[in-house]
Amino acid sequence: NPTVDKIYVESKDAEVESYGLFDLKGQMITSDVVNTNKIQISLRNFQSGVYVLKVKTSAGTSVRRIIKN
């Protein structure tokens, strides 16, 4: 982090069920239901700035700040 193009998420202990990417106003930018251990999220079409990534797994929810250059 920061990133220019893609975000990679890998969960070794639990399956990623879904994710949501939000701007700092709390508006959802993109989301998906995935049900896998590895995901790739393209940020190519998004403006530079700070985003919040919320990842839901079978073990709980994780929230991370993402910076796109």
Side-chain angles (χ1 to χ4, degrees):
N1 205 0
T3 186
V4 175
D5 186 26
K6 297 177 184 172
I7 302 170
Y8 298 92
V9 178
E10 181 176 358
S11 177
K12 294 180 182 179
D13 300 325
E15 186 173 88
V16 176
E17 297 172 352
S18 63
Y19 70 85
L21 186 68
F22 301 85
D23 64 17
L24 291 181
K25 297 176 185 175
Q27 182 177 1
M28 184 178 289
I29 304 300
T30 188
S31 65
D32 200 2
V33 176
V34 290
N35 296 314
T36 185
N37 288 356
K38 295 180 183 180
I39 59 174
Q40 175 181 300
I41 305 166
S42 175
L43 299 180
R44 179 173 294 192
N45 296 323
F46 300 125
Q47 294 181 359
S48 297
V50 179
Y51 296 89
V52 176
L53 177 64
K54 184 176 180 181
V55 178
K56 182 179 177 187
T57 71
S58 53
T61 301
S62 177
V63 178
R64 297 284 187 262
R65 183 180 66 158
I66 304 297
I67 300 170
K68 183 189 188 275
N69 287 339

